[in-house]
Amino acid sequence: MTKILRGVSMARIGGQHHQNIQQISELFREVDGEVGSLSKFIGVSKDTKIYRLPLSTRAMNVLKAMDGIDVLEGTTEDLAKISLRDLLKTPHAGHKTIDEFQELCLFVNLPMKR
């Protein structure tokens, strides 16, 4: 009978251990997702070349379509030349793209023209 009780308690402990591991895994995925979304522009500076920026394909294409922006040689600081009006006039630049540029400027402490 002692062996049976030990087996039952070990099964409960093993089951609880498995449940704890699942909870930890879920929390890790949740936190990793939040940190990942925050860290997109961490490490970017005003001297970062535009082509090295972690921008979406659409945002990069918008920059390529704009006059006065050299995607290969320009730096993040050159983006201060762009106004929100200019962005809105550029084909395929919607609110998500503008939000992306505003977020970048916020992280780099770069003023954006209105």
Side-chain angles (χ1 to χ4, degrees), residues 28-48:
F28 175 78
R29 280 192 297 274
E30 186 178 314
V31 170
D32 190 43
E34 289 175 11
V35 170
S37 66
L38 287 175
S39 66
K40 181 175 179 178
F41 296 118
I42 290 178
V44 172
S45 70
K46 291 181 180 181
D47 299 327
T48 303

Side-chain angles (χ1 to χ4, degrees), residues 31-103:
V31 170
D32 190 43
E34 289 175 11
V35 170
S37 66
L38 287 175
S39 66
K40 181 175 179 178
F41 296 118
I42 290 178
V44 172
S45 70
K46 291 181 180 181
D47 299 327
T48 303
K49 295 282 188 184
I50 292 174
Y51 75 91
R52 292 191 162 263
L53 292 173
L55 293 170
S56 66
T57 302
R58 182 180 303 261
M60 192 60 77
N61 288 337
V62 165
L63 287 177
K64 289 175 184 176
M66 297 188 79
D67 291 331
I69 299 295
D70 186 352
V71 176
L72 293 176
E73 295 298 321
T75 62
T76 307
E77 196 164 26
D78 295 334
L79 299 179
K81 299 174 189 174
I82 302 172
S83 71
L84 290 175
R85 266 195 197 122
D86 293 339
L87 274 174
L88 285 172
K89 291 177 187 175
T90 307
H92 308 294
H95 290 285
K96 286 183 182 180
T97 306
I98 291 170
D99 289 346
E100 190 172 358
F101 285 120
Q102 286 179 323
E103 182 183 354

